Amino acid sequence: MSATEIFDESDSLAGKLQKVIDLPLFDSSSRISTSDVACSLSLEHWHSARALLRASLLPSALVVHRAQFEALTRSIWLTYLASSEQISKLTADLSIESEQAAKNMPQIAQMMQALEKSGPQHAYDALIRFKDNSWKALNSYAHAGIHPIRRHHEGYPLRLLHDVLRNTNGLAVMSCMQAVVLSGQQPLQRTILDIAGRHPACMPPPI
């Protein structure tokens, strides 16, 4: 596969997944609608990361990739574990007061701990696997640490660009599976996985 073909394959994957998840939500509750916004944010970060990678802007893509993971984790946490009070803080009209009230929302470590205890096991297993493998490097890119400093100085291997693209696609498949849950059509998760399975060249290697 050429340097550009993997990006074309990724675009094809994105188009097929988008058609599957173009669904109404299960209900109009604040929990479902707020979870959906976070899931949509994760998918938007995916599209942005892919565009940045195609342009060989690796450090910026990885900062967005980190946000992609956090938005997905937030969506799953909101669906299963957030209290009504926490949801109300995220749905309040933007103001100085509401911004201050939302400052104490759980961050990634707290959300992961809660998911480990009481969340869906399959979702937690996939999230923690990604976090264990990628989180330190993603933090380095977000905070101008050794990874981006050295890579920006030395240049970016093409394989690294492609591996990051595969990882963004892997997270996006999880986001699409979350999207069909929010639509109340869990059986479509199998369709999502089948589509991903037909695009192995732009997906992470099977575990």
Side-chain angles (χ1 to χ4, degrees):
M1 180 171 289
S2 73
T4 59
E5 283 175 341
I6 190 172
F7 291 102
D8 295 337
E9 184 80 0
S10 180
D11 290 345
S12 175
L13 170 69
K16 292 172 184 176
L17 291 175
Q18 189 61 49
K19 289 180 180 178
V20 176
I21 66 172
D22 186 14
L23 299 163
L25 294 178
F26 177 69
D27 62 37
S28 58
S29 67
S30 293
R31 181 177 300 277
I32 294 296
S33 60
T34 308
S35 300
D36 180 62
V37 171
C39 186
S40 179
L41 273 175
S42 185
L43 290 168
E44 181 176 315
H45 292 324
W46 172 44
H47 296 312
S48 298
R50 287 169 37 237
L52 289 164
L53 289 167
R54 190 186 277 271
S56 297
L57 299 174
L58 180 70
S60 298
L62 281 162
V63 173
V64 177
H65 185 30
R66 180 180 185 267
Q68 178 192 8
F69 170 72
E70 291 191 86
L72 172 59
T73 304
R74 180 77 72 189
S75 176
I76 297 171
W77 174 80
L78 283 165
T79 302
Y80 296 100
L81 297 166
S83 68
S84 297
E85 181 183 2
Q86 288 168 326
I87 292 171
S88 68
K89 289 180 179 180
L90 289 178
T91 55
D93 291 337
L94 275 177
S95 67
I96 294 175
E97 291 76 19
S98 64
E99 180 184 21
Q100 184 64 34
K103 278 188 175 180
N104 63 351
M105 295 294 291
Q107 298 304 304
I108 195 71
Q110 291 76 34
M111 289 189 291
M112 291 296 296
Q113 289 170 1
L115 286 166
E116 180 181 17
K117 292 179 180 178
S118 304
Q121 189 65 45
H122 65 282
Y124 171 77
D125 289 344
L127 290 171
I128 195 63
R129 188 163 54 244
F130 175 88
K131 187 173 183 290
D132 286 346
N133 290 330
S134 305
W135 192 242
K136 288 183 180 179
L138 291 179
N139 283 337
S140 181
Y141 277 95
H143 302 297
I146 186 173
H147 283 265
I149 293 293
R150 295 314 307 162
R151 292 296 188 190
H152 200 66
H153 174 70
E154 298 168 359
Y156 312 119
L158 190 60
R159 179 174 178 177
L160 179 58
L161 285 168
H162 290 177
D163 285 346
V164 174
L165 177 66
R166 293 183 178 99
N167 286 340
T168 66
N169 290 340
L171 274 186
V173 167
M174 288 184 61
S175 294
C176 289
M177 294 175 73
Q178 168 69 354
V180 298
V181 167
L182 295 172
S183 297
Q185 300 194 40
Q186 283 86 338
L188 286 176
Q189 288 186 327
R190 172 45 56 189
T191 302
I192 297 291
L193 292 174
D194 288 345
I195 292 171
R198 293 196 292 271
H199 293 78
C202 66
M203 289 294 297
I207 297 171

